[in-house]
Each structure stands twice: as structure tokens, then as C-alpha cells.
């Protein structure tokens, strides 16, 4: 019995000593790797086995970070090449994070598994993350746009000594910036083995909307209309001159629209406009720009006679003294406008001027449109006379005084037609408006206030 016990004790001692020895052996084999990266560990394609943490960071930084910061984005244009270094974009890899991950690989395993991983290593590849900031690229492209983008310049036309003079148009250029940025970003991959990024920037040539070739088709006067304002005082005459001059030289391309208010602008004292009589409803008052309805009316008549329809036109509430009924066009800043769209196949050039208190509008376009002429005819189909004068006592007026509050107005209804004339014959009789002018009885206020 005692002999068996001794044998068991001896065997246990052998096992313990053997286990201790094996543990000591494993510890010996793994200890030197405690401060080193385990075998067959790579960052990307770079083997950093057996390197300390500091050595690994230095090697990885040298190969990846230093290399990527030497790369450039080169953008070529016909005039110059724009370059942007990757350092300006804060291009970087997560070197510290990747190296730390590589260094810690396997070190949290049991002693035996660490030993096994060291003796029979498996390739471990850690991929780094590549990041960059696009702000510098965005700024570069923005600066490129400032240098490259040129707005096309329209051709212009004016009349001199009875002839048309045309200044040629100039082409413009536009950098296709969105496309360029998208292409550059698709090529920034962080691949250190690829060459610099080189891209040919696309620059679009932009033609002017008004070209010399198009304006050369303007060669004939289609219509003309004049209006006399010889009885107008200084203020009204000044306003008519200013408004007429602001329209002179206007070009309306096919499909484009014209706005009287948009072209003439707001009538203000700063622009030189004067207070002058203006129709407000059925009464006459005074306001800056009074009188320019005679300008819009003259333009309206010239445009109609060139076979262009109006898209917005308003008649006065009361008849105008300078134009037959149904042929007027009133305007008021912010409320009433006169508009038309050029429905012809050719550009329209408007010439307007004042001479001896006569304002004139000439409308020019292509000679192929001059085989027909147009005339306006109005038909007054109803006229209602005002009733008896109304007298109203007014305690605010002295006894014996009178004040005309409303002058009498005949109520008119009038249709206006446009006749199309070809070879001396009317080939079309078209209704273009049906207007009503307000009927108003005369109203007179009689003073009843007794003077003390």
C-alpha cells in the first residue's frame, strides 16, 4: 500500500514538473513577442512582423502617409493647369489606429493560443481608412469658375443716319464645375501606387441669345405711330420725354416679352420725373410721371400695327384727349402694365424719340413681314349722356362759393378692330378689344358756411 502511494506521488510530481516546464517553455517562446507585432501581420501590403509599436508607426507612416501627401490633383484647361496637393485636402490614413490594432493582434489570447499563433502564424491583413476634406477642392473649383466663366455679350443694334449699326455678340464660357468635382472625387481613392490625378476640365461655350446674325434680319420698318403733346406743360412734357427715351433701342427677340413698367421703371423724382396731371378713376389728380400714359398708348398703337398682340392692356376709366376711344393703354406702377410678346419669327427693334413735342414709335423687323399692313378702326356702339347736375350743400365751403367735385362724363361702349390689308384689300377684320368708359353725372358742391 505504501509503495503504491509513493508511486502515485512520484507520478504527480513528474506531471507537475512537466507542466511547469511546458508552461515555462511556452512563456519563454511568447515573452519576446510581448513588445513586438506578431508574425505575418500586415497593414495593407506592408509586413510589420516583429516590429515594435514605434517602429511600425514609423514604417507605415513613411510608406503611406508621406507618400500620399506628395500626390496632386492636376486640372487642365486650355489656358492653364490648376494643381491641388493632397496635403491641402488634409488627406490622411488612420495610421495610429491601424498600427495599434496590428500590435494588439493576438495579445489578448491565452498563453497556449499565443504560442500557437506565433509558431504557426496565419496572415492577418489590416486595412487602413483613407479620409480627406473636400473644402480645398471646392474652393479651387470656385476660383476656377471666377477665372473661366464669362457671360456672353449680346449683340446690339442702333440707328444712325437712317441706317442700322450692329455691334457683334461675344461668346461666353462656363466651367462644368459639378461634373468636374464629381470626376475628381471618383478618382481620389488613396491608392499610393497610382500616379497623380490628371483631368481635363470641360468648359462649355455659351452663345449669346442676341447674335449679330439674328439682328441682321432687322431691316424694315413695319409700323409707326406718333402722338402730339404740344399743349402739355413742363412737368408732363418732361415725363413724356423721359419715358420715351427709356424705351428707345429696345430689342425683343422671338418669344420674348416686353413690359412697359419693367422697361421704364418706377417714376420717381430721383429719375427726373415731375408731378403732372394724371387720371385716377374718373377724376384728375397730380402725381409723379403724369402723362406717360400717352407714351404707353402710342407704343400700343405702333405694336398693334406691326401685327403683335398685347398680353396685358388696360383702357382708361375716362376718355383720353390724345387718342380716339378704344385705342388707349393706361399704365400705373405696381398695378397696371402694358405687355406684349414678340410672336414674329424675327427680332423686333423699337425706335422712340420726341421732336417738337411729338413722340414717335417706329417698330422694325424683317422685310418679309412687310407684305401686309394693319389699321385700327373703332366702333362706338353706345353713348349715354349724363343726367342732370347734382348739387350738394357743403358746410365746409363759404356761402356763395362752389366746387366741382365731378365733371360730367358720357358713358361710352366701343369695339376696336384690326384690319389686315394686303394689296389694297382688307383681308381680315379682327376684334381686339371691347371697352366701356364710365358714365358720371356732374357733381357740384355749394358752400353753406356762414362767414363771421
Amino acid at each position: 500500500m505504501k509503495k503504491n502511494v509513493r508511486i502515485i506521488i512520484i507520478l504527480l510530481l513528474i506531471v507537475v514538473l512537466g507542466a511547469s516546464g511546458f508552461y515555462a517553455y511556452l512563456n519563454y517562446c511568447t515573452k519576446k513577442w510581448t513588445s513586438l507585432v506578431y508574425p505575418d501581420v500586415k497593414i495593407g501590403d506592408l509586413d510589420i512582423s516583429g516590429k515594435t509599436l514605434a517602429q511600425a508607426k514609423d514604417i507605415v507612416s513613411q510608406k503611406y502617409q508621406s507618400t500620399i501627401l506628395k500626390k496632386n490633383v492636376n486640372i487642365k484647361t486650355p489656358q492653364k493647369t490648376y494643381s491641388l496637393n493632397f496635403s491641402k485636402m488634409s488627406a490622411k490614413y488612420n495610421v495610429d489606429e491601424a498600427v495599434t490594432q496590428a500590435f494588439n493582434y493576438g495579445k489578448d489570447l491565452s498563453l497556449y493560443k499565443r504560442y500557437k499563433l506565433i509558431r504557426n502564424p496565419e496572415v492577418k491583413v489590416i486595412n487602413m481608412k483613407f479620409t480627406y476634406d473636400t473644402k480645398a477642392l471646392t474652393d479651387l473649383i470656385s476660383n476656377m469658375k471666377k477665372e473661366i466663366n464669362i457671360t456672353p455679350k449680346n449683340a446690339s443694334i442702333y440707328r444712325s443716319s437712317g441706317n442700322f449699326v450692329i455691334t457683334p455678340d461675344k461668346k461666353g464660357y462656363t466651367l462644368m464645375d459639378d461634373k468636374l468635382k464629381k470626376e475628381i472625387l471618383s478618382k481620389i481613392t488613396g491608392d499610393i501606387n497610382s500616379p497623380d490625378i490628371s483631368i481635363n476640365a470641360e468648359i462649355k461655350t455659351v452663345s449669346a441669345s442676341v447674335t449679330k446674325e439674328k439682328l441682321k434680319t432687322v431691316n424694315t420698318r413695319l409700323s409707326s405711330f406718333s402722338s402730339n403733346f404740344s399743349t402739355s406743360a413742363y412737368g408732363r412734357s418732361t415725363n413724356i420725354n423721359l419715358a420715351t427715351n427709356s424705351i428707345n433701342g429696345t430689342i425683343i427677340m422671338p418669344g420674348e416679352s416686353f413690359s412697359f413698367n419693367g422697361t421704364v421703371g418706377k417714376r420717381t423724382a430721383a429719375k427726373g420725373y415731375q408731378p403732372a396731371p394724371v387720371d385716377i378713376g374718373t377724376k384728375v389728380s397730380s402725381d409723379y410721371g403724369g402723362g406717360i400714359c400717352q407714351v404707353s398708348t402710342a407704343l400700343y398703337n405702333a405694336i398693334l400695327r406691326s401685327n403683335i398682340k398685347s398680353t396685358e392692356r388696360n383702357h382708361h376709366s375716362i376718355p383720353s384727349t390724345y387718342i380716339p376711344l378704344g385705342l388707349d393703354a393706361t399704365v400705373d406702377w405696381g398695378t397696371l402694365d402694358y405687355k406684349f410678346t414678340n410672336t414674329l419669327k424675327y427680332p423686333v427693334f423699337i425706335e422712340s424719340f420726341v421732336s417738337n413735342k411729338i413722340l414717335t414709335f417706329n417698330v422694325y423687323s424683317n422685310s418679309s413681314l412687310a407684305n401686309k399692313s394693319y389699321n385700327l378702326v373703332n366702333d362706338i356702339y353706345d353713348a349715354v349722356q349724363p343726367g342732370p347736375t347734382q348739387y350738394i350743400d357743403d358746410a365746409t365751403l363759404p356761402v356763395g362759393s362752389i366746387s366741382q367735385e365731378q365733371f360730367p362724363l358720357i358713358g361710352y361702349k366701343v369695339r376696336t378692330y384690326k384690319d389686315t390689308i394686303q394689296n389694297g384689300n382688307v383681308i381680315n377684320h379682327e376684334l381686339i378689344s371691347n371697352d366701356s368708359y364710365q358714365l358720371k353725372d356732374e357733381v357740384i358742391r355749394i358752400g353753406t358756411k356762414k362767414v363771421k
Side-chain angles (χ1 to χ4, degrees):
M1 183 64 181
K2 291 181 179 180
K3 184 179 179 179
N4 289 336
V5 171
R6 283 197 295 269
I7 292 173
I8 291 172
I9 292 172
I10 292 171
L11 289 173
L12 288 173
L13 288 172
I14 291 173
V15 170
V16 170
L17 290 173
S20 298
F22 183 64
Y23 178 83
Y25 174 73
L26 293 181
N27 190 55
Y28 172 79
C29 291
T30 59
K31 186 176 181 179
K32 70 173 185 177
W33 290 95
T34 302
S35 60
L36 302 176
V37 179
Y38 279 6
D40 278 353
V41 175
K42 297 182 177 182
I43 292 182
D45 60 356
L46 184 62
D47 192 337
I48 58 170
S49 303
K51 300 297 188 292
T52 66
L53 182 64
Q55 290 172 335
K57 285 183 179 180
D58 185 62
I59 293 171
V60 175
S61 294
Q62 191 65 32
K63 178 166 184 179
Y64 285 94
Q65 191 63 34
S66 297
T67 302
I68 201 66
L69 293 181
K70 295 177 182 178
K71 291 172 66 68
N72 293 291
V73 175
N74 299 312
I75 308 172
K76 298 179 181 179
T77 71
Q79 288 73 33
K80 62 186 287 188
T81 297
Y82 298 83
S83 294
L84 179 66
N85 185 261
F86 271 45
S87 64
K88 300 293 185 182
M89 296 188 289
S90 301
K92 62 182 178 181
Y93 296 93
N94 61 331
V95 174
D96 288 349
E97 181 184 347
V99 172
T100 299
Q101 183 182 349
F103 179 79
N104 290 333
Y105 172 68
K107 290 185 170 63
D108 59 344
L109 299 175
S110 66
L111 179 62
Y112 178 70
K113 287 184 178 180
R114 278 183 277 153
Y115 168 77
K116 186 178 179 181
L117 191 61
I118 293 169
R119 289 298 298 269
N120 300 297
E122 298 177 0
V123 176
K124 175 64 175 179
V125 178
I126 295 173
N127 294 314
M128 288 189 296
K129 297 178 182 178
F130 174 71
T131 59
Y132 60 95
D133 188 348
T134 61
K135 183 179 183 304
L137 176 62
T138 301
D139 291 344
L140 174 62
I141 294 177
S142 179
N143 290 331
M144 289 177 63
K145 287 174 61 178
K146 292 177 182 177
E147 294 183 15
I148 294 171
N149 287 10
I150 297 176
T151 302
K153 186 176 181 180
N154 286 334
S156 60
I157 184 172
Y158 65 94
R159 285 178 60 78
S160 177
S161 302
N163 298 312
F164 285 109
V165 179
I166 299 175
T167 302
D169 55 289
K170 293 183 179 179
K171 295 185 181 298
Y173 301 94
T174 299
L175 173 68
M176 307 302 288
D177 54 311
D178 290 339
K179 181 178 180 181
L180 174 63
K181 185 175 182 178
K182 184 177 180 180
E183 185 177 359
I184 293 172
L185 293 179
S186 70
K187 294 185 177 182
I188 299 178
T189 61
D191 182 2
I192 61 172
N193 297 313
S194 63
D196 285 351
I197 298 173
S198 294
I199 293 178
N200 292 318
E202 182 180 347
I203 299 174
K204 183 180 179 181
T205 301
V206 184
S207 297
S209 58
V210 181
T211 64
K212 180 180 179 180
E213 292 303 312
K214 291 178 181 178
L215 292 186
K216 284 171 64 176
T217 63
V218 178
N219 53 25
T220 299
R221 187 176 70 181
L222 298 183
S223 67
S224 181
F225 189 84
S226 297
S227 184
N228 192 309
F229 60 99
S230 59
T231 59
S232 296
Y234 170 77
R236 191 174 189 278
S237 298
T238 298
N239 298 336
I240 289 175
N241 273 279
L242 288 172
T244 301
N245 291 336
S246 65
I247 299 172
N248 184 42
T250 298
I251 301 169
I252 306 101
M253 301 302 289
E256 286 187 346
S257 296
F258 171 91
S259 162
F260 185 92
N261 284 338
T263 302
V264 175
K266 189 174 183 179
R267 281 66 85 178
T268 64
K271 294 180 180 179
Y273 284 96
Q274 303 292 317
V278 58
D279 292 340
I280 300 178
T282 59
K283 298 180 181 180
V284 177
S285 185
S286 179
D287 195 7
Y288 281 98
I292 66 167
C293 288
Q294 189 164 352
V295 180
S296 56
T297 292
L299 176 60
Y300 171 63
N301 280 263
I303 291 298
L304 285 177
R305 287 171 170 80
S306 62
N307 197 33
I308 297 176
K309 292 183 179 180
S310 304
T311 55
E312 181 180 340
R313 171 259 173 182
N314 302 277
H315 65 87
H316 289 84
S317 298
I318 59 179
S320 300
T321 59
Y322 50 79
I323 197 75
L325 290 169
L327 299 181
D328 57 320
T330 183
V331 291
D332 180 52
W333 179 260
T335 57
L336 304 175
D337 201 357
Y338 170 58
K339 298 178 181 178
F340 64 86
T341 298
N342 179 10
T343 53
L344 307 179
K345 295 181 180 179
Y346 302 95
V348 166
F349 174 79
I350 298 177
E351 178 185 46
S352 57
F353 57 90
V354 172
S355 177
N356 297 321
K357 284 200 168 185
I358 297 176
L359 72 94
T360 298
F361 278 97
N362 293 322
V363 179
Y364 296 86
S365 192
N366 188 257
S367 57
S368 64
L369 304 173
N371 61 334
K372 298 175 184 177
S373 61
Y374 304 89
N375 189 37
L376 303 179
V377 179
N378 69 337
D379 172 27
I380 302 172
Y381 64 92
D382 193 14
V384 181
Q385 296 293 329
T389 300
Q390 299 179 27
Y391 297 95
I392 301 174
D393 290 340
D394 192 332
T396 64
L397 298 176
V399 174
S401 64
I402 61 173
S403 174
Q404 188 175 46
E405 180 178 291
Q406 175 67 57
F407 49 85
L409 295 174
I410 299 174
Y412 292 103
K413 292 184 178 181
V414 55
R415 299 185 185 96
T416 301
Y417 298 87
K418 181 178 72 175
D419 287 345
T420 302
I421 303 169
Q422 188 173 33
N423 298 324
N425 299 314
V426 176
I427 62 174
N428 189 38
H429 187 65
E430 177 188 2
L431 176 67
I432 60 172
S433 65
N434 189 355
D435 302 330
S436 296
Y437 296 87
Q438 291 189 31
L439 167 69
K440 286 291 180 179
D441 295 333
E442 182 179 31
V443 177
I444 295 178
R445 290 187 171 273
I446 302 175
T448 60
K449 180 180 180 181
K450 295 181 180 180
V451 180
K452 296 181 181 180

